[in-house]
Amino acid sequence: LCQTKEQRILDFVLKNAVRGDPQSVIDNIDKYCSQREWSMNVGNEKGIILDNVVKESNPSTILELGTYCGYSAVRICRLLKPGVRFFTVEFNPAYAAVAKQIIEFAGLIDKVQVLEGSTGDIIPQLKKKYEVDTLDFVFVDHWKDKYKPDTQLLEKCNLLRKGSVVLADNVIVPGAPDFLEYVRNCGKYDCTNFPSFLEYMDEKDALEKAVFRG
Ligand SMILES: Cn1cnc(CNC(=O)c2cc(-c3ccc(F)cc3)cc(O)c2O)c1
Ligand SMILES: [Mg+2]
């Protein structure tokens, strides 16, 4: 019955993880995707770097671009204090449906709003429709050619403040060269590169942290 890889991942989590235990959800997605079918979750090596950047930022309002199956949403929200707000944008309805179930199973759905649609439409709605003032933390993990335009859109919509952290996945593989060039040279960000590895593979990848200067 599980026709898509994403449904098979969900099924494996529902069968093998512990309801209400985010770490077991993360561990089981990693187990399935390293042993059975590769998939584009940020994974555990880059995930540990993500954990550390989230912990040091201690954010209250977080935006994620690219939910996929909800792995990084669970990974980030398991570290957050009660009362924080996490918005995650997913264009693909099938991915969004799986992600909602995985986030729910992890017991984190109260913190998370899965917004279905395109980032270009949703980002301009965050202030008025979703009552966001500014974003403390943005995890960028969607289509790689959207990283730069969507970062510029966040600026244009006044969603970034001094110290807002923009953390981008895959800046080596598949790569986001125009985004890297922009954040490193436009003068508005303090950038740090975190070398790591592509999820479930031995290939080199990296995260880029860009802190908005305000
Ligand atoms: C269809 N789609 C919906 N959302 C997205 C955005 N994500 C990616 O494209 C993405 C791709 C890869 C990747 C793919 C093939 C390969 F050979 C090496 C790396 C890894 C990631 O971590 C990603 O986030 C794509
Ligand atoms: Mg990624």
Side-chain angles (χ1 to χ4, degrees):
L1 285 174
C2 288
Q3 294 314 316
T4 69
K5 176 170 69 175
E6 293 72 30
Q7 283 171 328
R8 291 192 289 272
I9 291 169
L10 169 61
D11 198 54
F12 188 81
V13 165
L14 297 179
K15 279 206 182 84
N16 298 284
V18 174
R19 180 175 291 278
D21 177 349
Q23 192 59 50
S24 82
V25 169
I26 292 164
D27 294 340
N28 276 282
I29 294 174
D30 285 335
K31 184 178 167 136
Y32 185 82
C33 297
S34 44
Q35 294 176 0
R36 309 278 188 78
E37 300 185 80
W38 186 90
S39 85
M40 58 185 170
N41 317 113
V42 71
N44 197 49
E45 291 91 353
K46 290 186 286 179
I48 289 166
I49 299 167
L50 170 61
D51 291 351
N52 292 333
V53 177
V54 170
K55 284 178 197 165
E56 75 182 13
S57 318
N58 193 24
S60 300
T61 311
I62 305 100
L63 173 67
E64 174 180 70
L65 305 180
T67 317
Y68 189 43
C69 291
Y71 176 95
S72 45
V74 170
R75 195 141 196 146
I76 294 167
C77 289
R78 86 190 199 287
L79 302 172
L80 301 178
K81 51 189 186 279
V84 305
R85 290 193 304 162
F86 183 96
F87 299 94
T88 182
V89 183
E90 179 50 59
F91 181 76
N92 181 315
Y95 293 169
V98 165
K100 276 181 203 156
Q101 293 174 77
I102 284 181
I103 294 164
E104 220 155 43
F105 186 84
L108 297 167
I109 201 67
D110 303 355
K111 297 183 165 133
V112 179
Q113 277 188 269
V114 179
L115 307 178
E116 285 183 44
S118 88
T119 48
D121 295 338
I122 290 173
I123 288 171
Q125 295 176 316
L126 287 174
K127 282 203 184 249
K128 287 207 173 68
K129 185 171 179 184
Y130 297 100
E131 298 180 336
V132 171
D133 175 18
T134 54
L135 299 165
D136 303 315
F137 191 95
V138 184
F139 183 52
V140 184
D141 192 20
H142 60 331
W143 288 314
K144 309 315 163 195
D145 62 356
K146 294 277 183 203
Y147 281 27
K148 178 181 172 185
D150 284 345
T151 300
Q152 293 174 316
L153 184 56
L154 289 169
E155 293 172 20
K156 187 194 123 206
C157 296
N158 296 316
L159 283 161
L160 302 180
R161 45 93 178 156
K162 184 174 173 48
S164 290
V165 174
V166 176
L167 184 68
D169 189 22
N170 309 119
V171 296
I172 295 182
V173 176
D178 59 335
F179 167 81
L180 274 189
E181 191 284 327
Y182 175 69
V183 290
R184 290 177 177 175
N185 301 315
C186 72
K188 300 179 200 172
Y189 298 89
D190 293 306
C191 297
T192 311
N193 185 263
F194 296 89
S196 184
F197 294 92
L198 179 66
E199 50 268 27
Y200 320 116
M201 305 293 285
D202 294 338
E203 264 184 270
K204 290 188 188 329
D205 192 13
L207 299 174
E208 186 84 0
K209 181 173 86 163
V211 180
F212 193 62
R213 289 179 174 158

